[in-house]
């Protein structure tokens, strides 16, 4: 599962070349989706009017809802000092889930915002899509 945090969501909305290429490639591959946590989408929209609309225009992008279980878990993470609502929702989405057996990858522009053990990839790293 590939997850975009607030920074990656804003970058996609702003036309980040590599993220746009990734979203386009995933649209052509059945079952491959980019997941944006609802709190990250909310934060991106609050910082940039229209960002949500531009991101959701990609057919490969889905929103991971902040349902009852997620809300409790994210609230606990916030209380325990892991960051704001958007960071904690992205972190929650990156945790192992019953419905997804593979490893989650969190695309971000702030790897330092996440604790060790979370697989993060900086959106500006030269090898993000295998290019050097």
């Amino acid at each position: 599962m590939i997850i975009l945090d607030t920074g990656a969501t804003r970058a996609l909305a702003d036309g980040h070349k590599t993220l746009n290429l990734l979203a386009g490639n995933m649209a052509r591959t059945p079952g491959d989706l980019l997941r944006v946590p609802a709190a990250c989408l909310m934060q991106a929209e609050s910082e940039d009017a229209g960002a949500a609309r531009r991101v959701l225009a990609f057919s490969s992008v889905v929103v991971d809802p902040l349902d009852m279980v997620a809300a409790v878990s994210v609230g606990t993470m916030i209380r325990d000092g892991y960051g704001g609502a958007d960071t904690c929702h992205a972190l929650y989405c990156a945790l192992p889930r019953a419905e997804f057996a593979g490893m989650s990858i969190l695309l971000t522009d702030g790897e330092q915002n996440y604790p060790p053990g979370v697989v993060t990839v900086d959106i500006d790293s030269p090898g993000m899509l295998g290019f050097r």
Side-chain angles (χ1 to χ4, degrees):
M1 178 166 36
I2 298 178
I3 303 155
L4 292 110
D5 74 354
T6 301
T9 301
R10 290 229 20 227
L12 179 61
D14 291 341
H16 188 279
K17 184 178 180 178
T18 307
L19 288 175
N20 274 263
L21 181 61
L22 177 63
N25 287 342
M26 291 186 88
R28 291 189 292 275
T29 309
D32 282 346
L33 299 169
L34 295 172
R35 294 192 171 275
V36 177
C40 294
L41 186 64
M42 174 190 69
Q43 185 64 36
E45 181 64 25
S46 74
E47 295 170 0
D48 177 16
R53 178 182 45 79
R54 294 190 304 272
V55 167
L56 295 175
F58 288 98
S59 62
S60 59
V61 173
V62 296
V63 177
D64 202 278
L66 188 62
D67 60 15
M68 180 176 59
V69 174
V72 172
S73 299
V74 169
T76 301
M77 288 180 199
I78 295 168
R79 184 187 65 229
D80 291 347
Y82 285 96
D86 59 331
T87 300
C88 289
H89 193 192
L91 182 56
Y92 171 81
C93 290
L95 294 174
R97 298 180 182 205
E99 68 269 16
F100 182 76
M103 179 181 290
S104 295
I105 299 169
L106 181 57
L107 299 182
T108 182
D109 65 350
E111 290 181 292
Q112 72 282 357
N113 296 334
Y114 299 97
V118 177
V119 179
T120 58
V121 175
D122 189 300
I123 60 172
D124 293 319
S125 66
M128 190 175 108
L129 288 178
F131 303 122
R132 301 259 184 247

